[in-house]
Amino acid sequence: MARIDNIIQQRLEKLQRIRQQGVDPYPHRYHRSHTTKEAITLFERDGNAQVSLAGRIVASRPMGKATFIDIRDSSGKIQVYFRSELLGEKYEFLKEFDIGDIIGVEGKLFRTHSGEITLGATDFAMLSKSLQPLPEKWHGLIDVEKRHRQRYLDLISNEEVGQIFLVRSQAIAAIRSSLDERGFIEVETPVLHPTAGGALARPFTTHHHTLDQDLYLRIATELYLKRLIIGGFDKVYEIGRIFRNEGISTKHNPEFTMLESYEAYADYNDVMGMLEEMVSYVAQQVLGTTKVSFGGNTLDFAPPWKRIMLRDAIYTGCGIDFLEHADAQSLRNAIQQQGLDVDESMSWAKLIDKLISTYVEPCLIQPTFVMDYPVELSPLAKRRPESEHLVERFEAFAGGMEIANAFTELNDPIEQRERFRQQEIIRAELGDEEAERVDEDFLLALEYGMPPTGGLGLGIDRLVMLLTNQQSIREVILFPQLRTK
């Protein structure tokens, strides 16, 4: 720590000397003619070129009356050559430079004897003096806690991290492009909800002082988007932050990014087709292929994806047919006979969810649709015409994790009210904070009539995990939730 303090003190002294020379170490602007990548491309095309570049110093190699400095911007890195003979007295100013400083440089591009494209500096400027030293292993910061807590250092130190978030940005753009081409319109719905609905999840609660009313950070955008379907928009989608007061794991973060889309006059079969085509398109646009490496496996997102029934998937995994166990105690006994420990307070629906996460999800490596879920697990989905117990719902899995969830949406207001009532009973009897709540405003909207609708929720973070071969959701969220130090 004392060594770091000494380095900071030395940099503060340099900062003072810079100011004493009448130089502003934090100027308002700098004209940059090209990025480093653009400059290299320009040289390869046209030969000698005069450019002005800017970037962070990541390496310095003084050689008496000449110095080589590497600077990096968001597009890449380039070597800069400073010569005392050309720069005169200003060359001495280089001694005030440190690794981490941001500088601007003007000059001509040339190729060194070793073949490296280099900028020969004719002038330069300090743009931002770095007072904190970069980590000693700046070329490969590996402290995971530090990487996530100080993401800016992670991005400076690890070039591959920036690539992950570039892929993320490109994937979201490709999703938008895919939906826009299908005639969907992008909309925005409230983040603060008077009722936490649209998903089985525990919400974050806040309070609006002027209204003197408790509000909830949204756990889904579903119920507002379906209001828009009722209002006459036939195809809508929203990409936005969702907040759920749940545990943190390699697959879960309390705030995450979700795509939700709704299409009138469609069902879950239509949504299945749209999803597999969209994800395939995204992979092709971002990576140039539908095949991606993830966790030692090669996943192929090219349609068609495998389709299996949930009942069959659970039976194959553990030999339990959930339709033969109509109540929670019977199902609990069957699960305990498998040697799986389950809490006595878990509802029948929670027990099914436990079976899925234990015996189904980890086994689904290639993209797979698991179809037709119990009605108790899906209070917003429409029943299958031939079944009292199952709804038209699918979850999409890949790489051993869920990436999407979709329904043929329930549009019968009377049945929807009863489903909500049953959820309230579960909440009251079992203390299940994740049960659905009655949303009277949504029920009123539904009573005006909602057309048959197919709805989709796609987890953006998990999709990016698959596209970038990352095993933790924290690696694909710029600022994941961390415990306060």
Side-chain angles (χ1 to χ4, degrees), residues 202 244-249 251-254 434:
R202 180 192 298 136
R244 295 181 183 176
N245 199 348
E246 58 188 15
I248 297 174
S249 74
K251 298 178 183 178
H252 298 88
N253 193 67
E434 296 185 356

Side-chain angles (χ1 to χ4, degrees), residues 250-273:
T250 57
K251 298 178 183 178
H252 298 88
N253 193 67
E255 55 176 311
F256 57 97
T257 303
M258 177 81 79
L259 158 73
E260 286 202 45
S261 69
Y262 293 84
E263 180 178 0
Y265 313 109
D267 68 1
Y268 77 147
N269 291 298
D270 299 307
V271 178
M272 262 185 277

Side-chain angles (χ1 to χ4, degrees), residues 78-368:
I78 195 168
Q79 178 175 259
V80 184
Y81 178 49
F82 297 83
R83 281 193 305 153
S84 171
E85 179 183 346
L86 185 60
L87 293 168
E89 292 183 2
K90 192 167 185 178
Y91 181 79
E92 297 302 314
F93 193 83
L94 293 181
K95 68 178 183 292
E96 312 297 354
F97 284 3
D98 289 298
I99 302 296
D101 290 352
I102 298 172
I103 63 171
V105 188
E106 295 179 28
K108 287 186 177 181
L109 296 165
F110 69 98
R111 194 183 295 273
T112 64
H113 293 302
S114 64
E116 183 171 357
I117 296 173
T118 300
L119 177 65
T122 57
D123 197 9
F124 60 87
M126 172 70 72
L127 303 182
S128 182
K129 183 65 184 169
S130 172
L131 301 182
Q132 290 279 351
L134 295 180
E136 288 191 17
K137 301 290 186 181
W138 65 267
H139 49 80
L141 180 64
I142 58 174
D143 184 325
V144 175
E145 173 76 10
K146 194 179 187 73
R147 287 181 51 243
H148 294 157
R149 195 172 293 280
Q150 294 178 274
R151 182 66 85 185
Y152 47 90
L153 287 182
D154 192 22
L155 292 167
I156 293 171
S157 305
N158 300 316
E159 290 184 64
E160 66 276 12
V161 173
Q163 185 61 34
I164 290 171
F165 292 103
L166 178 61
V167 168
R168 181 188 177 104
S169 177
Q170 292 170 339
I172 293 173
I175 288 170
R176 283 194 166 99
S177 174
S178 174
L179 289 167
D180 292 345
E181 288 179 6
R182 289 175 173 269
F184 283 79
I185 63 168
E186 185 173 10
V187 297
E188 297 167 301
T189 62
V191 172
L192 294 175
H193 290 187
T195 303
L200 303 178
R202 180 192 298 136
F204 288 97
T205 306
T206 187
H207 187 79
H208 192 289
H209 291 286
T210 302
L211 296 177
D212 192 21
Q213 176 184 355
D214 284 342
L215 297 169
Y216 306 93
L217 295 182
R218 65 186 182 191
I219 59 174
T221 57
E222 177 167 349
L223 301 187
Y224 279 94
L225 290 174
K226 289 201 281 196
R227 286 169 169 89
L228 299 180
I229 294 290
I230 293 166
F233 285 128
D234 287 344
K235 295 181 178 181
V236 295
Y237 74 92
E238 182 170 9
I239 298 174
R241 271 305 213 232
I242 301 298
F243 308 87
R244 295 181 183 176
N245 199 348
E246 58 188 15
I248 297 174
S249 74
T250 57
K251 298 178 183 178
H252 298 88
N253 193 67
E255 55 176 311
F256 57 97
T257 303
M258 177 81 79
L259 158 73
E260 286 202 45
S261 69
Y262 293 84
E263 180 178 0
Y265 313 109
D267 68 1
Y268 77 147
N269 291 298
D270 299 307
V271 178
M272 262 185 277
M274 182 185 78
L275 178 63
E276 62 187 358
E277 289 176 10
M278 178 170 63
V279 174
S280 172
Y281 170 79
V282 169
Q284 190 70 50
Q285 289 292 112
V286 174
L287 304 177
T289 177
T290 61
K291 295 182 179 180
V292 303
S293 296
F294 182 77
N297 297 291
T298 298
L299 313 184
D300 191 352
F301 288 113
W305 297 1
K306 184 179 179 181
R307 288 156 166 76
I308 59 175
M309 299 298 116
L310 177 64
R311 184 182 184 186
D312 296 337
I314 291 178
Y315 188 81
T316 299
C318 63
I320 294 176
D321 183 345
F322 62 76
L323 290 183
E324 292 183 357
H325 302 278
D327 60 82
Q329 190 57 53
S330 172
L331 184 57
R332 187 177 296 111
N333 292 340
I335 293 173
Q336 289 172 338
Q337 288 174 12
Q338 298 292 320
L340 186 63
D341 186 33
V342 288
D343 193 282
E344 290 293 323
S345 66
M346 293 177 73
S347 65
W348 191 86
K350 287 279 189 181
L351 292 170
I352 295 291
D353 200 41
K354 182 74 171 178
L355 289 174
I356 295 170
S357 62
T358 304
Y359 296 111
V360 178
E361 185 171 358
C363 304
L364 300 178
I365 305 303
Q366 292 300 323
T368 303

Side-chain angles (χ1 to χ4, degrees), residues 21-40:
Q21 295 178 53
V23 175
D24 182 0
Y26 304 102
H28 288 72
R29 69 185 303 273
Y30 180 80
H31 174 69
R32 179 177 66 166
S33 65
H34 299 79
T35 66
T36 58
K37 183 178 180 180
E38 289 169 345
I40 291 170

